[in-house]
Amino acid sequence: MDKEETDLTAESEDKETVAGTAEINWEEVSKDELLDELKKLQAENAQIDELKKNLADKTEEANKNFDLYKRALADVENIRKRSANEKQEVLKFGNFNIVSDLLVILDDFDRALTSGKQENTAKEVIIEGVEMIQKQFEDLLFKKYGVEKYGESGEEFNPERHQAVMMEVGDYKEETVVEVFRSGYALHERVIRPAQVKVGKPE
């Protein structure tokens, strides 16, 4: 017998041995063993069913969470758009109230001019009317809108609030405002327009 025939014979014997081992002699298997095997299969099937149920629950939960995410994303986008629109409205109509207040003063100027053009109107009456309008305008700025008017002789020079247009050297302890050419204005401590002043400097 050559080598090839020997290998084939050995392979055939191995297959027969495996086949013989795989065969189950059901006559030798007891009823209790069958019941145990059945219980094992039932337990495995129960576990599989539980896993399937858990998977279905998690899938449903994931879908719900994804829907919530999409809704939240849409809400954020709507808020962003609404905020942008409101910002545009503020920029467009932010001066609405102050313009409305200024129109009242403009009406008073119109009446004063009409009255001043009449020949029988005394100069003192015109001046008094203009002074009343000036006070009305100052009350509007200073009391209602919080504008501050500043710039007086004798106060300390502050380059953040004053604009020095002239200087003189003299007997001063520190840089001091000695003359105001134009008042300064600030809104809530933010300078709108610096005061133009003459500054006295120490020698």
Side-chain angles (χ1 to χ4, degrees), residues 105 133-143 149:
I105 297 176
I133 296 173
Q134 182 184 26
K135 183 179 184 307
Q136 183 182 2
F137 184 62
E138 289 177 342
D139 288 343
L140 176 68
L141 289 180
F142 305 148
K143 294 181 180 180
K149 181 180 180 180

Side-chain angles (χ1 to χ4, degrees), residues 79-163:
I79 291 173
R80 187 191 66 79
K81 290 180 179 179
R82 184 165 61 249
S83 177
N85 290 335
E86 290 175 353
K87 184 178 180 180
Q88 287 295 111
E89 288 293 308
V90 170
L91 292 175
K92 190 175 181 179
F93 299 106
N95 296 325
F96 184 88
N97 291 333
I98 190 170
V99 170
S100 178
D101 291 333
L102 290 175
L103 290 177
V104 176
I105 297 176
L106 183 62
D107 291 339
D108 290 338
F109 270 119
D110 289 339
R111 284 191 287 268
L113 287 173
T114 300
S115 175
K117 291 177 181 179
Q118 298 177 2
E119 295 182 358
N120 59 349
T121 303
K123 179 181 178 181
E124 292 77 9
V125 174
I126 298 175
I127 293 175
E128 182 181 353
V130 172
E131 288 176 343
M132 289 178 61
I133 296 173
Q134 182 184 26
K135 183 179 184 307
Q136 183 182 2
F137 184 62
E138 289 177 342
D139 288 343
L140 176 68
L141 289 180
F142 305 148
K143 294 181 180 180
K144 184 171 183 177
Y145 290 104
V147 175
E148 171 198 359
K149 181 180 180 180
Y150 68 89
E152 293 183 2
S153 297
E155 65 185 18
E156 182 181 354
F157 174 72
N158 183 346
E160 294 182 357
R161 292 169 62 88
H162 301 110
Q163 179 184 1

